Amino acid sequence: MKVTFPHMGNLYIPLRTFFENLGAEVVVPPLSSKRTLEIGCKYSPEFACLPLKVTLGNFIEALEMGADTIVMAGGVGPCRFGYYAEVQREILKDLGYDFDMIVLEPPQGHFWDLIKKFKYITNKKSFKEIYLAGKLAWKKIILLDRLEKMVNRIRAVELEKGKTDKAYKKALNLISNARDEQELAFARQQIEKEISSIKKAKERNLLKVGLVGEIYTLLEPFVNFNIEKQLGELGVLVERSIYISQWVRENLLPSFMKSKEPEVLAKLAEPYIPCFVGGHGRESVAQIVSYAKQGFDGVIHLLPLTCMPEIVAKSVLPMVSKIHSIPVMTLVLDEHSAETGLRTRLEAFIDLIRERKEEEEFGVLSWD
Amino acid sequence: MECYLGIDVGSVSTNFALIDKHGKMLKKLYLRTAGRPIETIKSGLKMLKEDLKDDIEIKGVGTTGSGRKLASVIVGADVVKNEITAHAVASISEIPTVQTILEIGGQDSKIIILRDGIVVDFAMNTVCAAGTGSFLDRQAQRLGIPIELFGEIAIRSKNPTRIAGRCAVFAESDMIHKQQLGYKVEDILKGLCQALVRNYLANVAKGKEINPPVVFQGGVAANSGIKRAFEEELGMEIIVPEHFDVMGALGAALLAKKAMSQNKQKQTNFYGFEAAFKEHRAESFECNGCPNLCEIVQIYVDNKLIARWGDRCGRWSENVAV
């Protein structure tokens, strides 16, 4: 059995660790590229959203490399994601591929079902073995999230251009290669040493921008044109609203193990969206309110074209932006998006919030 | 005399604005890019040089537009700015109280919302170029009317025809159909103006609060038919500034002036008008390093590689200081 899974940012690192430690052979698809997008689009329904197309491309590339078992997440609620696996299975079957597809549905009450599926994938390993493999993968997730947060803070103020990204690449390798918790702890020390050695410029009026929106477009740098890096290069401190650890907590853990944080956050969206609308629609709105309260200078909202939950969120954004006095820009991404257009909008948005901040602080107009 | 130069390299036109140290326009140029930005930038420099007296000293240069990066390596720019900011800056300099900017250029259109002299919101057209300059150009050509007369003729109409303006291709077939039914040219042109304005307000300006003063700029602002249609649809006076056609370039020049005045010691990066006589060459190749197959562009000046871009990973661009 050769297991594969779709890409979403750095998720492949803990997933590979998890399945390999359970004795499964893993085929990591090549990182999403233009080729992935092209084959994905070719075989997907035109009006499906971008995540379906790119992940289908991942599967085809992995099957070409000899994978025979696809692990895919399922979902519930109004977002179409819950139906991806079924659609992709049918498309791949029509294309003549021979494979097994295991769909991990969120365990709301079906936690044992999830464990049973893991047992199947891993050739009936014991609960303890699954637990141990899961623990290392989970620690990697935590460290990856920490790393991404550090990088987003430092990139904006690095003195030597590109230094942070070099350290980031190296760190990903270290985390990826760590075979046990001891090695991971060592990797963590090394990473922290390296990152803290990057020379920083002193910046008093650093701009802070929050990123919210649909999870896949937020986490996958290939589809969002590496927006975190681009913003960092423009001298902006970036904070993303969703990290993999949160997603795993909310979707793969049974309800008694979940944190209460998301519920508290969702309350912030109540005046605008009082109920669950699927995906992260309500959370996007809540996060914008939260960022405004934390004194962020602006928020960028990302979604793939035709994403229903985020379209619902978008419809209330003008009001949220006005009431909480925070500029919000929505960027819609699909296979036709061009980097030049995105860059122009990013630069203009950064100019907008910079002018606004200067005026608030000094009370002067700086044009002219 | 101390001067500042702004260059706006757009898809359809490449514009130059030369201003003095008080921000007054000394000379402007509106040239067709015609798909050859490097040549156009160079011929613009030559034309400026020939026109100007010798006592001109360029103290700073700004570039903007979709070709801003290219222009900056060819002339040596001090400021490289996106076109939204550049347009806003220029508009504020002409009408300080402006609250809304409607900008329609060759292939894109934007709306910029300002309050108290600051940009607070903006939007650009995303998927369709219906209603921009290129589309109007083409329709005028098809009807055999010089583009300069488009507006004048449209304004004469008493009974504008309704034309479907959502999509450039369908608008065209709708127009042909109306022509074949025997509608007058002026009624069709006015109908087209109204359709474009409707399309702009529904797509680019959707959800935005349009408050006066409203400034209309970009190449299409030369078309009095579109201006009239905006006035009728919005029920407001629409101001077309004096230098409406080169506002991006003007904004870039003003930004260069600001940047240089903030740092008095700084010398301009401008290569001088001699840049127009150097040999520039752009080459591109496909990188086979990964499946992204990025197209890398290399710019040579007198056979020396000076800039490289187009790669996602930085493998090529990092090795050349831009």
Side-chain angles (χ1 to χ4, degrees):
Chain A
M1 184 155 56
K2 291 184 178 171
V3 178
T4 192
F5 37 75
H7 272 297
M8 183 166 79
N10 292 324
L11 186 62
Y12 69 98
I13 295 175
L15 283 183
R16 177 165 65 191
T17 303
F18 180 65
F19 290 117
E20 274 180 358
N21 279 359
L22 287 173
E25 199 178 329
V26 175
V27 176
V28 179
L31 288 180
S32 297
S33 70
K34 228 154 63 184
R35 178 172 188 267
T36 319
L37 181 67
E38 265 163 33
I39 30 183
C41 289
K42 189 170 163 193
Y43 298 115
S44 301
E46 212 279 318
F47 46 84
C49 59
L50 193 58
L52 182 136
K53 297 175 184 175
V54 184
T55 52
L56 181 71
N58 288 148
F59 294 151
I60 294 178
E61 287 186 307
L63 292 170
E64 284 171 352
M65 288 164 69
D68 56 20
T69 306
I70 296 172
V71 179
M72 178 65 175
V76 289
C79 168
R80 288 182 288 177
F81 179 74
Y83 204 52
Y84 272 20
E86 304 308 321
V87 174
Q88 289 171 327
R89 188 194 336 247
E90 291 308 311
I91 294 171
L92 293 171
K93 266 193 199 157
D94 286 348
L95 290 174
Y97 289 106
D98 184 23
F99 64 98
D100 246 347
M101 193 170 211
I102 294 155
V103 185
L104 306 178
E105 298 290 348
Q108 307 183 321
H110 307 289
F111 191 62
W112 285 109
D113 190 45
L114 187 74
I115 296 290
K116 254 192 268 171
K117 280 179 178 157
F118 281 146
K119 276 184 156 286
Y120 171 75
I121 302 167
T122 59
N123 229 343
K124 298 215 165 66
K125 284 270 189 300
S126 73
F127 183 81
K128 194 181 166 205
E129 282 169 301
I130 295 177
Y131 167 77
L132 285 176
K135 198 172 154 213
L136 180 62
W138 174 248
K139 290 211 157 164
K140 285 195 176 185
I141 290 177
I142 303 274
L143 183 54
L144 281 169
D145 286 356
R146 223 179 107 79
L147 170 69
E148 286 173 23
K149 282 180 193 165
M150 286 194 287
V151 164
N152 276 339
R153 247 176 269 134
I154 294 209
R155 202 188 269 122
V157 288
E158 65 182 5
L159 270 180
E160 200 182 319
K161 288 266 166 278
K163 192 104 184 170
T164 315
D165 279 289
K166 270 190 197 133
Y168 178 54
K169 254 186 214 165
K170 221 166 122 186
L172 288 183
N173 265 330
L174 282 172
I175 299 175
S176 190
N177 294 336
R179 279 166 304 181
D180 52 39
E181 289 191 31
Q182 213 178 348
E183 283 187 18
L184 191 65
F186 182 69
R188 180 184 164 149
Q189 277 176 3
Q190 254 184 303
I191 290 166
E192 279 173 1
K193 210 170 101 189
E194 178 123 5
I195 298 238
S196 56
S197 75
I198 296 171
K199 290 206 177 66
K200 291 174 283 248
K202 282 206 177 62
E203 182 75 58
R204 281 189 314 114
N205 274 314
L206 199 59
L207 292 175
K208 273 165 83 180
V209 167
L211 285 182
V212 304
E214 189 274 327
I215 179 167
Y216 183 82
T217 39
L218 271 186
L219 292 182
E220 179 53 55
F222 171 72
V223 303
N224 65 32
F225 298 97
N226 220 333
I227 191 167
E228 290 169 50
K229 185 170 169 227
Q230 295 213 33
L231 286 169
E233 286 167 352
L234 290 167
V236 176
L237 192 147
V238 188
E239 199 175 297
R240 208 169 65 202
S241 62
I242 304 174
Y243 286 88
I244 298 178
S245 56
Q246 280 161 288
W247 184 84
V248 173
R249 263 197 201 111
E250 284 162 40
N251 291 279
L252 294 181
L253 294 184
S255 50
F256 65 88
M257 282 168 76
K258 277 182 200 169
S259 82
K260 292 276 169 282
E261 212 178 307
E263 283 170 38
V264 178
L265 186 70
K267 280 252 179 309
L268 293 175
E270 224 167 57
Y272 316 101
I273 298 183
C275 60
F276 179 65
V277 293
H280 288 85
R282 182 172 51 168
E283 285 71 16
S284 289
V285 173
Q287 283 288 357
I288 293 171
V289 177
S290 163
Y291 282 140
K293 291 190 170 170
Q294 292 171 53
F296 275 62
D297 301 297
V299 177
I300 295 175
H301 176 224
L302 295 177
L303 62 135
L305 189 69
T306 72
C307 171
M308 193 279 292
E310 297 300 334
I311 290 170
V312 175
K314 186 171 181 270
S315 66
V316 301
L317 291 191
M319 192 166 48
V320 177
S321 164
K322 202 170 177 179
I323 289 175
H324 294 275
S325 182
I326 185 163
V328 182
M329 175 170 73
T330 300
L331 293 172
V332 184
L333 298 160
D334 73 352
E335 64 268 33
H336 303 294
S337 305
E339 186 162 5
T340 331
L342 180 104
R343 181 74 185 199
T344 298
R345 286 168 177 82
L346 282 185
E347 286 180 16
F349 185 69
I350 299 310
D351 282 343
L352 179 164
I353 59 176
R354 183 165 282 138
E355 285 304 311
R356 199 168 170 268
K357 190 175 177 117
E358 279 175 14
E359 206 225 19
E360 267 169 19
E361 267 165 34
F362 307 111
V364 287
L365 292 180
S366 57
W367 301 131
D368 190 52
Chain B
M1 186 168 49
E2 292 182 4
C3 298
Y4 297 89
L5 178 63
I7 306 174
D8 177 0
V9 183
S11 52
V12 172
S13 72
T14 295
N15 312 324
F16 289 73
L18 190 73
I19 57 169
D20 66 12
K21 64 178 174 196
H22 306 293
K24 209 181 123 239
M25 183 79 84
L26 297 173
K27 173 83 193 159
K28 65 175 182 180
L29 288 177
Y30 182 96
L31 309 170
R32 294 257 164 184
T33 310
R36 307 166 71 89
I38 298 180
E39 282 76 13
T40 315
I41 294 167
K42 284 161 74 172
S43 59
L45 283 179
K46 281 180 197 159
M47 287 159 83
L48 277 180
K49 177 77 187 150
E50 278 161 23
D51 261 33
L52 295 172
K53 293 183 208 80
D54 287 337
D55 65 339
I56 292 282
E57 192 194 349
I58 305 282
K59 300 292 272 184
V61 178
T63 61
T64 186
S66 47
R68 58 186 178 276
K69 208 164 156 186
L70 180 69
S72 84
V73 298
I74 288 175
V75 300
D78 301 296
V79 175
V80 184
K81 243 328 155 199
N82 64 83
E83 48 271 39
I84 294 165
T85 306
H87 273 282
V89 171
S91 210
I92 293 167
S93 80
E94 293 215 5
I95 295 103
T97 56
V98 57
Q99 295 212 73
T100 311
I101 300 170
L102 314 172
E103 199 270 343
I104 306 184
Q107 276 182 10
D108 64 21
S109 46
K110 32 190 164 307
I111 183 164
I112 307 173
I113 307 290
L114 304 99
R115 297 290 179 263
D116 307 319
I118 312 188
V119 177
V120 293
D121 200 3
F122 64 85
M124 281 172 92
N125 59 334
T126 45
V127 281
C128 179
T132 57
S134 303
F135 175 67
L136 290 176
D137 252 2
R138 184 169 148 65
Q139 297 319 321
Q141 231 170 34
R142 226 178 43 79
L143 294 168
I145 292 163
I147 187 74
E148 295 77 18
L149 299 179
F150 190 117
E152 256 175 66
I153 297 173
I155 283 179
R156 275 188 239 144
S157 160
K158 298 266 181 312
N159 289 305
T161 323
R162 191 165 173 101
I163 289 175
R166 179 170 291 283
C167 160
V169 176
F170 292 151
E172 181 168 331
S173 48
D174 203 22
M175 263 176 63
I176 295 172
H177 178 64
K178 293 278 155 66
Q179 259 180 298
Q180 282 162 342
L181 285 177
Y183 287 93
K184 283 195 279 186
V185 171
E186 63 220 51
D187 291 342
I188 292 174
L189 287 183
K190 176 80 192 245
L192 194 59
C193 292
Q194 291 178 336
L196 297 191
V197 165
R198 268 200 312 270
N199 190 24
Y200 175 92
L201 293 175
N203 290 307
V204 184
K206 68 178 162 209
K208 307 270 183 266
E209 205 181 346
I210 298 177
N211 289 348
V214 180
V215 170
F216 179 25
Q217 59 197 42
V220 174
N223 189 321
S224 50
I226 302 273
K227 179 182 178 241
R228 175 74 62 83
F230 266 123
E231 285 174 333
E232 288 168 358
E233 190 71 32
L234 294 171
M236 292 173 191
E237 189 205 353
I238 304 285
I239 307 162
V240 175
E242 189 190 348
H243 306 298
F244 67 91
D245 51 345
V246 297
M247 291 299 266
L250 174 60
L254 289 167
L255 284 163
K257 182 165 89 73
K258 182 191 157 198
M260 299 315 278
S261 67
Q262 275 173 349
N263 188 349
K264 296 259 191 280
Q265 271 84 46
K266 197 172 174 278
Q267 290 289 311
T268 176
N269 296 329
F270 186 47
Y271 298 143
F273 288 102
E274 301 80 59
F277 299 96
K278 286 192 178 147
E279 194 214 319
H280 292 84
R281 192 156 47 89
E283 273 180 9
S284 66
F285 66 91
E286 200 175 74
C287 169
N288 288 315
C290 79
N292 277 323
L293 305 177
C294 296
E295 277 166 44
I296 318 298
V297 178
Q298 311 196 98
I299 310 287
Y300 292 88
V301 175
D302 290 341
N303 283 324
K304 203 178 137 233
L305 178 67
I306 55 150
R308 198 142 70 172
W309 57 69
D311 49 346
R312 268 175 176 257
C313 67
R315 174 176 166 192
W316 302 96
S317 51
E318 273 169 15
N319 295 324
V320 179
V322 180

